[in-house]
Amino acid sequence: MELLRLRLVVFLSLFQVLWILPLAFAQSSIKSSVTRHSEEYCAMYDICGKRTDGKVLNCPYGSPSVKPSDLLSSKIQSLCPTITGNVCCTAAQFDTLRTSVQQAIPFLVGCPACLRNFLNLFCELTCSPNQSLFINVTSVNKVNNNMTVGGIDYYISDTFGEGLYDSCKDVKFGTMNSRAMEFIGAGAQNFKEWFTFIGRQAAPKLPGSPYAIRFRSNATDSSEMIPMNVSTYSCGDNSLGCSCGDCPSSTVCSNTAVPVSPKKGSCTVKIGSIKAKCIDLAVAVLYIVLVSVFFGWGLFNRTRKQTPASRKKPLWNNVMDDGEVQSITREKIENPPMQVLEDPPHMRSGVQLSIVQGYMSKFYRGYGKWVARNPITVLGSSSAIVLLLCLGLIRFKVETRPEKLWVGPGSKAAEEKQFFDSHLAPFYRIEQLILATIPDAKHGKSPSIVTEDNIKLLFEIQKKVDGIKANYSGSMISLADICMKPLDQDCASQSVIQYFKLDPENFDNYGGIEHLTYCFEHYSSADKCMSAYKAPLDPSTALGGFSGQNYSEASAFIITYPVNNAINKEGNETERAVAWEKAFIQLAKAELLQMVQSKNLTLSFSSESSVEEELKRESTADAITILISYLVMFAYISLTLGDSPRLSSFYISSKVLLGLSGVVLVMLSVLGSVGFFSAIGVKSTLIIMEVIPFLVLAVGVDNMCILVHAVKRQPLTMPLEGRISNALVEVGPSITLASLSEVLAFAVGSFIPMPACRVFSMFAALAVLLDFLLQVTAFVALIVLDFRRTEDNRVDCFPCMKVSSYTNSDKGIEVRKPGLLARYMKGIHAPILSVWVVKIVVISIFVAFSLASIALCTRIQPGLEQKIVLPQDSYLQGYFNNISEYLRIGPPLYFVVKNYNYSSESRHTNQLCSISQCDSDSLLNEIARASLISESSYIAKPAASWLDDFLVWISPEAFGCCRKFTNATYCPPDDQPPCCSSSDGSCSLGGVCKDCTTCFRHSDLHNGRPSTTQFEEKLPWFLDALPSSDCAKGGHGAYTSSVELKGYESGIIQASSFRTYHTPLNKQIDYVNSMRAARELCSRVSDSLKIEIFPYSVFYMFFEQYLDIWKTALMSLSIAIGAVFIVCLVITCSLWSSAIILLVLSMIVVDLMGVMAILHIQLNAVSVVNLVMAVGISVEFCVHMTHAFSVSTGDRDQRIKEALGTMGASVFSGITLTKLVGVIVLCFSRTEVFVVYYFQMYLALVLLGFLHGLVFLPVVLSIFGPPSRCLLREQ
């Protein structure tokens, strides 16, 4: 037993000797070899093996440096000019070095200083004759019985490390709109992080070092190591200087100040601890001054004793021209017997009118009598004309395309979009899904969505989407048929599962969530993280709800499917896409929503055609609400036109049939207007169909009430013919004045460039004009027929039925008893307003609110939230909310250059590019500077530049890019077919591409720039070149649609674009400001470079209106109010009355804008239309009251009392209450745009119009009103 144990010990000892001694000898030999750290001595020389993935491994044995052959020496000098004499590398090692750095050269060649420093780092590592001074082999591996290097220490001084990093940290990689450091350094923030990334041993079949490299900066004295400290070049070096875009710190660039946009903040004033806006302070001071002056003036007038003469009735003038005076019988409408007794029997009142009003009164007197005699003729002829206009409705069409509604034909943005689409390529259609986690109920924070189950859910969703088959004209359309394919193979879907090549099997093979986390940090540098369409996927485009670059904390997946677009929106290609989009939305609603919700996630979705489809649905969503609103108004009209209800005579005295007929006339006027414009080819809009009936009904009902009430005020003893004639003489001029003012106010709006506003104004002007004509023709005829029916004791609504037992209680009385509303106006309302204290309070309050509204107007934001326009139950509501909440990158932004002259005689190339030798104030450098102040420029990144990449691609330094065969045809990089066999994956330096050479030598280029012929010849090569590891600068895919090659042979490229991104735009004002900032940048650069440049983004065309929306609004309102003033001045010949009407109209509009600011209603086409409409409706409140005041007798208080009694009741019942009951129904609308822009704004308009017309205006007239046109004459 002991013998057996002894034999086992001897065997084990022998085993240890036989196996450990060789390893010990190897380690000792390495130690003895490398122990020598001296000049002209190598730490590792030659190649002793290969890894399984083909990466070569150096021999770990030290040896003296050797003298290279002349050929090898020249090759080394071309790549490593700092190494002369002996070297520590063989030809095979140098070829490996050249192949390794070849992948990084295209990223850095645009900045020569960075490239030189970067090459020196690896040249010294591989071939330096003094390699042993800073390289120490720390571990070895045995490969195929050969000892190979397993790890090294590379001693580098901090000076070199900092110089290298500083020269490269800002270098851009244009293709991906990012820094090159993101690709070659994993976004390192300093040289130590960069060296850590470089020194990491690469996993099999991944790029990187075949062995571990530990970079060290400090060497102990005993180690005899001396850190490598080759001189570095600054990126601002004169000989190897970089562009300002790649080197903002260079002296040339630092002299060019970063354009700091002035902050748009309003002027503020600090008073103690209170900080107020200048406009607020100015308004407050103005109010104090005005109120003080008014109080002083009031006290002065109150304390002054009034002489008896001052109490006399004012006379207009003793001198009267023929035709100016029309004597009409004006009897007081209450207490007739007393009124007769009060007035001297030998005096009668007369109204002195202007020339225009005189002619109008004469016309209405004769016309009224003629209508009363021939009502059927008038009714039939007027109705026939309108019905003839309605025939145009057979050509009725509704315009729903947003670009035709909000963009004028001469729009700059529309022209730019047309240029971009026709010369480059239409912006792709976007189909999108957003999956998000539900916030925690306790803390409100959303958990991370990046989990294994959720990733697998994405694969299931992708499978469902890929399986969509939409039927279009008998053919089945799938995503692959319509999607955007940058490299003509795979769809460029933006989803995190692209990191797994869209293959579920790769999820486990690649390492699951760990691989995903790795790709979030190395998406641009790791081949394994490349998408299925062979391009890096920026995680910020596929994730949402994260802060900074903490992608793993993302709470949302954003899946985007870019689909090819077409210039012709009505062509087959677009219709195919729309067919697929409808199927996509149907899938999302029917299946995807349930799948996502089962995982406790939320889903929102949208397609390119979603908004238009939902707008079409919205047009019918509130049809019932609008109909009910009209019915309520009709019911009220029917009641208010009738006499005071008496149960015994209601069926005779009611005016239901008359009210219904009046509403029908209003609808006919609208239909006639729409029919006329439809006949001449003008399309209608949703705004017209929804707004104009309300507008015309408001105006028409007012006129109907005024006409009916005027007829009722006439003495019953007078024949019907005389009553109709007198009523038209009494109210006809004011109705004409108001209607013409409204027509002109809307007509001038037809000059507004915005199509929606222009078309609305055209339709509204004609509708109001037709309504007025029908009111004074057909409706007057209907009044005659209705009063005949009443006098003939026929039942309302059934005029064929006659009631013989009916007795008119008003018979024997000369005038009807005034209604309750008229009695209130004259007996309560007017006396209260005549109190001096009340007048002061009213003036103070209304002036205060108007001045406050002026200050509030500055807070109104331009824009129109998309979700407001859509029905509240639309699936897009959640989508728009999620877009603003989760999206971390803005819309693409293109800087388009027209007529780029690339000839060698032109300076355009250097004025546009941003690499070495480009102008410091070039376009791309200016864009890069603007991206540094993204808060004001709204530019997130430097632009991807096809020009920079093309100049790098043809550069001799990028020897793996632009290459040619011996027959001068294009030779692709070594890792692409035919150089690299796609079947077996073998790529070697031999084969068909072994004799390929670079397109140019340095001597072939002039200051690094190609000649005109060279540029012309090689540009198509570049745009067809596929990007790959050996040359990432290939232009195919990234720049396929960035350059128009049509006609470029002349030396002029008609159109080219440089792509970047806006910052995330979450509010409407952000979209407006981003567009304004981009245009300002282009304007400045264009003027400086004398090159035509414009910015383009897909949303510009729709937001251009908001750049000048204030100008459009103020111009429209000014013209409308000015038109009303001119009409009033011409008809009344009274500057005094016209000025008061102008003041009240302006106050109503200003106050309405103040209400908009309080309710946070934005300024857009809809609100501008409402404001213009407010002018038209407000005329009704002002003109009738002012006219009634001017023709009343007595002092100002008495005249106001009479005006309120006669016209105030008609205005209040005819427009205020009618509009109020109709508007209130709109608050039940399912579409928020109705609630905000129609219910809220209309309600505010009605209330403001009522308050100004029946409270403020009477007070102003009682204090500052014009003299009476009514005078006393002897009979």
Side-chain angles (χ1 to χ4, degrees):
M1 189 67 180
E2 291 296 331
L3 181 61
L4 182 60
R5 183 178 297 173
L6 179 61
R7 288 180 177 178
L8 181 59
V9 170
V10 171
F11 174 76
L12 289 175
S13 301
L14 182 61
F15 175 82
Q16 290 175 349
V17 170
L18 291 176
W19 284 95
I20 294 177
L21 276 180
L23 289 175
F25 175 76
Q27 293 287 352
S28 62
S29 62
I30 292 171
K31 187 176 181 180
S32 62
S33 301
V34 179
T35 299
R36 180 175 175 180
H37 298 292
S38 61
E39 294 182 356
E40 300 294 332
Y41 205 81
C42 306
M44 47 187 182
Y45 183 78
D46 209 352
I47 296 173
C48 288
K50 290 184 179 181
R51 298 199 320 179
T52 55
D53 59 357
K55 291 183 180 293
V56 297
L57 299 168
N58 294 333
C59 300
Y61 309 118
S63 64
S65 59
V66 299
K67 183 177 181 180
S69 64
D70 292 341
L71 177 60
L72 178 60
S73 178
S74 63
K75 286 184 177 182
I76 293 175
Q77 283 286 303
S78 66
L79 191 67
C80 309
T82 58
I83 297 177
T84 58
N86 292 349
V87 297
C88 283
C89 60
T90 62
Q93 282 180 291
F94 177 77
D95 288 339
T96 302
L97 167 67
R98 184 175 179 275
T99 303
S100 299
V101 298
Q102 175 180 330
Q103 297 180 1
I105 286 176
F107 293 95
L108 306 176
V109 71
C111 182
C114 168
L115 178 62
R116 173 49 47 217
N117 295 333
F118 183 79
L119 292 177
N120 285 346
L121 174 69
F122 292 96
C123 287
E124 295 294 325
L125 168 66
T126 305
C127 295
S128 172
N130 304 318
Q131 189 187 65
S132 63
L133 289 176
F134 45 81
I135 298 294
N136 186 32
V137 179
T138 57
S139 64
V140 295
N141 294 322
K142 192 171 184 179
V143 178
N144 295 330
N145 296 323
N146 291 329
M147 306 304 297
T148 61
V149 173
I152 64 171
D153 284 346
Y154 189 177
Y155 289 85
I156 295 179
S157 68
D158 289 346
T159 303
F160 178 86
E162 291 174 354
L164 169 63
Y165 180 79
D166 289 342
S167 66
C168 296
K169 64 182 180 180
D170 293 314
V171 176
K172 303 187 304 296
F173 180 50
T175 308
M176 292 298 296
N177 296 94
S178 59
R179 298 185 307 153
M181 190 61 66
E182 302 287 342
F183 294 80
I184 62 173
Q189 299 298 314
N190 51 61
F191 77 91
K192 292 184 178 180
E193 291 183 9
W194 192 9
F195 285 168
T196 300
F197 173 77
I198 292 173
R200 186 177 53 206
Q201 185 176 7
K205 296 184 179 181
L206 291 179
S209 173
Y211 47 80
I213 304 175
R214 183 171 62 171
F215 289 90
R216 306 182 64 176
S217 57
N218 298 322
T220 60
D221 295 336
S222 59
S223 66
E224 300 179 354
M225 304 298 291
I226 302 175
M228 190 274 289
N229 192 25
V230 175
S231 298
T232 56
Y233 294 92
S234 167
C235 62
D237 185 86
N238 292 330
S239 59
L240 296 175
C242 307
S243 70
C244 292
D246 292 333
C247 184
S249 60
S250 69
T251 54
V252 176
C253 303
S254 59
N255 293 334
T256 307
V258 175
V260 179
S261 299
K263 290 188 177 181
K264 302 295 183 182
S266 58
C267 167
T268 57
V269 177
K270 194 170 184 180
I271 305 174
S273 60
I274 301 175
K275 193 174 183 180
K277 289 187 175 183
C278 295
I279 182 68
D280 298 345
L281 181 63
V283 164
V285 172
L286 179 61
Y287 178 69
I288 293 173
V289 172
L290 291 176
V291 170
S292 301
V293 171
F294 178 69
F295 268 94
W297 177 84
L299 290 174
F300 173 74
N301 279 275
R302 294 295 293 173
T303 55
R304 188 179 65 175
K305 298 214 175 185
Q306 303 204 0
T307 61
S310 65
R311 299 187 183 94
K312 289 183 179 179
K313 295 180 181 179
L315 300 181
W316 178 251
N317 200 324
N318 291 329
V319 182
M320 297 177 292
D321 297 330
D322 291 337
E324 287 187 352
V325 178
Q326 287 296 327
S327 297
I328 63 172
T329 303
R330 297 280 301 180
E331 303 288 351
K332 299 301 179 181
I333 64 173
E334 74 268 11
N335 303 324
M338 292 181 62
Q339 185 65 44
V340 174
L341 292 174
E342 288 177 359
D343 287 339
H346 62 283
M347 302 292 290
R348 65 181 296 186
S349 61
V351 180
Q352 184 173 348
L353 303 174
S354 67
I355 296 177
V356 178
Q357 287 176 316
Y359 281 118
M360 290 171 60
S361 295
K362 284 183 179 179
F363 167 77
Y364 276 121
R365 181 173 297 281
Y367 171 74
K369 293 179 180 178
W370 182 76
V371 173
R373 295 174 191 147
N374 306 283
I376 301 298
T377 304
V378 174
L379 180 62
S381 58
S382 58
S383 300
I385 294 174
V386 176
L387 290 174
L388 185 64
L389 291 176
C390 292
L391 292 177
L393 291 172
I394 60 177
R395 299 186 60 187
F396 174 75
K397 291 182 181 179
V398 178
E399 184 63 80
T400 58
R401 289 175 295 176
E403 64 270 17
K404 297 296 183 182
L405 289 174
W406 315 120
V407 185
S411 163
K412 182 179 178 182
E415 293 174 356
E416 290 169 350
K417 180 183 184 299
Q418 177 63 27
F419 182 88
F420 186 90
D421 290 351
S422 59
H423 288 270
L424 297 172
F427 190 78
Y428 48 83
R429 304 173 70 90
I430 296 177
E431 332 297 343
Q432 208 162 49
L433 299 170
I434 300 179
L435 287 75
T437 55
I438 298 175
D440 180 73
K442 185 176 181 181
H443 303 96
K445 184 178 179 181
S446 298
S448 172
I449 199 171
V450 185
T451 64
E452 182 175 342
D453 288 342
N454 292 337
I455 297 298
K456 291 181 178 179
L457 174 63
L458 290 185
F459 282 115
E460 295 178 21
I461 292 175
Q462 184 63 42
K463 184 177 180 181
K464 293 277 188 183
V465 173
D466 288 337
I468 294 177
K469 301 293 183 182
N471 189 350
Y472 172 72
S473 299
S475 60
M476 305 308 292
I477 308 299
S478 66
L479 178 61
D481 298 324
I482 60 175
C483 70
M484 187 179 70
K485 302 176 181 178
L487 301 183
D488 305 322
Q489 294 179 353
D490 297 286
C491 295
S493 304
Q494 307 290 298
S495 174
V496 292
I497 57 176
Q498 285 282 9
Y499 296 126
F500 302 101
K501 307 290 190 295
L502 300 181
D503 188 351
E505 295 182 359
N506 289 339
F507 181 76
D508 294 324
N509 296 339
Y510 285 7
I513 297 298
E514 291 183 2
H515 171 73
L516 207 58
T517 306
Y518 172 80
C519 289
F520 290 161
E521 299 179 2
H522 308 93
Y523 68 92
S524 55
S525 56
D527 281 345
K528 207 167 186 178
C529 295
M530 286 292 172
S531 63
Y533 58 94
K534 298 178 178 60
L537 175 68
D538 189 339
S540 63
T541 63
L543 295 170
F546 56 87
S547 58
Q549 293 187 346
N550 300 321
Y551 300 119
S552 297
E553 298 177 0
S555 57
F557 288 138
I558 300 174
I559 309 170
T560 307
Y561 302 102
V563 170
N564 291 322
N565 210 342
I567 299 177
N568 182 11
K569 299 299 181 183
E570 298 178 357
N572 290 339
E573 188 172 351
T574 300
E575 292 180 359
R576 292 169 72 228
V578 170
W580 186 89
E581 288 165 358
K582 291 180 178 179
F584 170 73
I585 295 298
Q586 186 61 34
L587 173 72
K589 291 180 178 179
E591 299 184 38
L592 301 186
L593 194 58
Q594 296 178 358
M595 291 171 56
V596 171
Q597 290 176 347
S598 67
K599 301 292 185 180
N600 201 28
L601 302 174
T602 63
L603 174 68
S604 59
F605 46 90
S606 170
S607 70
E608 185 74 15
S609 57
S610 288
V611 173
E612 188 170 346
E613 293 296 325
E614 288 296 282
L615 283 177
K616 291 179 181 178
R617 186 171 72 89
E618 183 257 344
S619 63
T620 58
D622 289 295
I624 296 178
T625 305
I626 297 173
L627 182 60
I628 293 175
S629 179
Y630 287 153
L631 291 176
V632 170
M633 284 192 288
F634 159 67
Y636 175 77
I637 293 165
S638 301
L639 290 174
T640 194
L641 290 182
D643 295 330
S644 299
R646 291 190 185 95
L647 188 60
S648 61
S649 61
F650 178 72
Y651 51 88
I652 299 293
S653 62
S654 67
K655 305 289 183 185
V656 174
L657 187 59
L658 181 62
L660 176 61
S661 302
V663 173
V664 170
L665 291 179
V666 170
M667 293 299 106
L668 281 177
S669 65
V670 175
L671 293 176
S673 174
V674 175
F676 172 78
F677 285 108
S678 297
I680 62 175
V682 180
K683 291 185 178 181
S684 181
T685 66
L686 295 177
I687 292 180
I688 289 172
M689 296 191 299
E690 294 158 356
V691 178
I692 288 184
F694 268 87
L695 167 67
V696 182
L697 199 59
V699 175
V701 168
D702 189 28
N703 290 342
M704 286 190 288
C705 290
I706 290 172
L707 283 169
V708 173
H709 291 170
V711 175
K712 287 182 179 181
R713 283 197 298 268
Q714 306 307 315
L716 291 175
T717 56
M718 187 180 294
L720 181 59
E721 179 181 316
R723 280 180 279 161
I724 295 294
S725 176
N726 282 354
L728 283 177
V729 170
E730 179 183 342
V731 299
S734 65
I735 288 178
T736 305
L737 173 59
S739 299
L740 289 181
S741 300
E742 292 158 1
V743 170
L744 192 57
F746 289 121
V748 296
S750 61
F751 297 101
I752 300 174
M754 190 185 303
C757 291
R758 184 178 67 250
V759 173
F760 167 81
S761 299
M762 292 163 52
F763 279 69
L766 183 57
V768 172
L769 178 61
L770 290 176
D771 181 59
F772 163 68
L773 295 176
L774 286 175
Q775 296 293 337
V776 297
T777 55
F779 190 70
V780 172
L782 288 170
I783 292 176
V784 173
L785 295 175
D786 188 74
F787 273 78
R788 287 183 181 177
R789 174 194 62 78
T790 304
E791 293 173 358
D792 204 21
N793 296 339
R794 297 184 181 275
V795 178
D796 190 21
C797 297
F798 301 97
C800 296
M801 296 177 59
K802 186 175 181 181
V803 180
S804 59
S805 62
Y806 170 71
T807 58
N808 191 344
S809 60
D810 289 332
K811 285 184 179 180
I813 302 177
E814 290 187 353
V815 293
R816 285 183 175 87
K817 184 179 179 181
L820 177 64
L821 193 56
R823 294 199 301 271
Y824 161 78
M825 283 289 177
K826 195 163 187 176
I828 300 176
H829 191 76
I832 291 176
L833 293 182
S834 65
V835 178
W836 184 252
V837 175
V838 174
K839 293 181 181 181
I840 294 177
V841 172
V842 168
I843 295 290
S844 302
I845 292 175
F846 277 80
V847 172
F849 189 72
S850 293
L851 292 177
S853 296
I854 293 175
L856 288 170
C857 286
T858 61
R859 294 165 170 80
I860 299 177
Q861 299 288 348
L864 177 62
E865 296 289 346
Q866 287 179 306
K867 59 184 182 180
I868 288 181
V869 183
L870 301 168
Q872 293 180 350
D873 60 348
S874 172
Y875 62 88
L876 290 177
Q877 294 286 356
Y879 172 76
F880 287 126
N881 290 333
N882 287 348
I883 282 290
S884 59
E885 181 178 358
Y886 297 118
L887 216 60
R888 293 297 182 266
I889 194 160
L893 167 63
Y894 299 88
F895 289 90
V896 183
V897 178
K898 289 184 175 182
N899 301 321
Y900 160 42
N901 187 344
Y902 64 79
S903 65
S904 53
E905 295 81 14
S906 172
R907 293 196 64 254
H908 280 190
T909 298
N910 287 340
Q911 288 179 321
L912 296 177
C913 65
S914 64
I915 60 173
S916 178
Q917 301 182 19
C918 297
D919 294 351
S920 61
D921 61 346
S922 68
L923 169 64
L924 291 165
N925 282 331
E926 290 293 333
I927 296 172
R929 287 194 194 95
S931 67
L932 300 177
I933 50 171
S934 58
E935 296 82 6
S936 57
S937 69
Y938 295 90
I939 297 176
K941 302 177 179 182
S945 169
W946 69 267
L947 182 58
D948 285 355
D949 285 358
F950 171 64
L951 296 176
V952 167
W953 185 80
I954 64 173
S955 171
E957 280 88 355
F959 46 79
C961 292
C962 185
R963 306 197 306 170
K964 59 184 178 181
F965 288 111
T966 53
N967 61 359
T969 58
Y970 174 64
C971 176
D974 287 327
D975 60 349
Q976 295 181 19
C979 305
C980 183
S981 174
S982 58
S983 58
D984 56 9
S986 61
C987 298
S988 63
L989 297 179
V992 297
C993 298
K994 63 180 180 180
D995 296 326
C996 288
T997 58
T998 57
C999 294
F1000 305 110
R1001 296 188 297 269
H1002 285 283
S1003 59
D1004 297 331
L1005 304 176
H1006 180 66
N1007 292 330
R1009 301 291 183 262
S1011 66
T1012 307
T1013 304
Q1014 292 168 339
F1015 198 110
E1016 175 188 341
E1017 179 186 352
K1018 297 300 184 289
L1019 181 59
W1021 287 18
F1022 166 71
L1023 295 177
D1024 288 336
L1026 295 172
S1028 62
S1029 297
D1030 282 357
C1031 181
K1033 293 288 185 178
H1036 188 72
Y1039 302 120
T1040 301
S1041 58
S1042 296
V1043 186
E1044 183 185 32
L1045 292 181
K1046 181 181 179 180
Y1048 87 108
E1049 298 86 356
S1050 62
I1052 303 292
I1053 295 177
Q1054 296 182 21
S1056 62
S1057 66
F1058 303 94
R1059 184 192 69 250
T1060 181
Y1061 291 91
H1062 279 300
T1063 53
L1065 308 175
N1066 297 322
K1067 299 178 181 178
Q1068 294 283 294
I1069 191 63
D1070 293 338
Y1071 286 91
V1072 179
N1073 289 339
S1074 65
M1075 182 180 182
R1076 180 180 288 111
R1079 284 193 168 179
E1080 289 176 354
L1081 173 63
C1082 278
S1083 176
R1084 178 167 55 83
V1085 174
S1086 295
D1087 293 341
S1088 173
L1089 304 181
K1090 307 300 185 218
I1091 301 175
E1092 189 173 359
I1093 307 166
F1094 68 84
Y1096 171 75
S1097 190
V1098 68
F1099 68 86
Y1100 280 4
M1101 187 172 66
F1102 305 109
F1103 282 84
E1104 185 187 36
Q1105 57 177 305
Y1106 302 121
L1107 294 179
D1108 299 316
I1109 191 70
W1110 272 109
K1111 179 181 177 182
T1112 301
L1114 294 177
M1115 180 180 68
S1116 306
L1117 293 173
S1118 300
I1119 293 175
I1121 295 175
V1124 172
F1125 174 75
I1126 292 173
V1127 172
C1128 293
L1129 187 62
V1130 170
I1131 293 180
T1132 65
C1133 294
S1134 172
L1135 181 62
W1136 200 330
S1137 299
S1138 303
I1140 291 178
I1141 292 173
L1142 176 67
L1143 171 67
V1144 178
L1145 279 182
S1146 303
M1147 289 181 66
I1148 292 176
V1149 173
V1150 169
D1151 290 352
L1152 184 58
M1153 296 177 74
V1155 172
M1156 287 176 59
I1158 294 172
L1159 299 178
H1160 303 288
I1161 299 176
Q1162 295 172 307
L1163 189 66
N1164 48 57
V1166 180
S1167 52
V1168 169
V1169 166
N1170 285 345
L1171 290 171
V1172 174
M1173 186 185 70
V1175 176
I1177 292 181
S1178 300
V1179 168
E1180 299 286 336
F1181 288 103
C1182 305
V1183 169
H1184 298 305
M1185 281 298 303
T1186 306
H1187 177 73
F1189 175 82
S1190 66
V1191 297
S1192 300
T1193 59
D1195 61 18
R1196 288 191 175 100
D1197 286 336
Q1198 291 173 339
R1199 290 159 61 197
I1200 275 297
K1201 184 178 180 181
E1202 182 178 347
L1204 283 171
T1206 56
M1207 197 59 66
S1210 298
V1211 171
F1212 182 75
S1213 61
I1215 183 169
T1216 305
L1217 294 181
T1218 307
K1219 210 52 178 133
L1220 201 59
V1221 297
V1223 165
I1224 290 176
V1225 179
L1226 291 179
C1227 70
F1228 301 103
S1229 171
R1230 290 190 298 161
T1231 306
E1232 196 172 357
V1233 71
F1234 271 92
V1235 176
V1236 174
Y1237 289 97
Y1238 298 143
F1239 169 67
Q1240 293 181 0
M1241 286 195 71
Y1242 283 16
L1243 183 62
L1245 170 59
V1246 172
L1247 295 178
L1248 288 173
F1250 159 71
L1251 292 174
H1252 283 80
L1254 298 180
V1255 178
F1256 178 73
L1257 179 59
V1259 171
V1260 171
L1261 290 173
S1262 68
I1263 300 175
F1264 307 106
S1268 174
R1269 289 177 179 267
C1270 189
L1271 45 86
L1272 298 179
R1273 301 173 57 200
E1274 289 188 11
Q1275 287 186 337

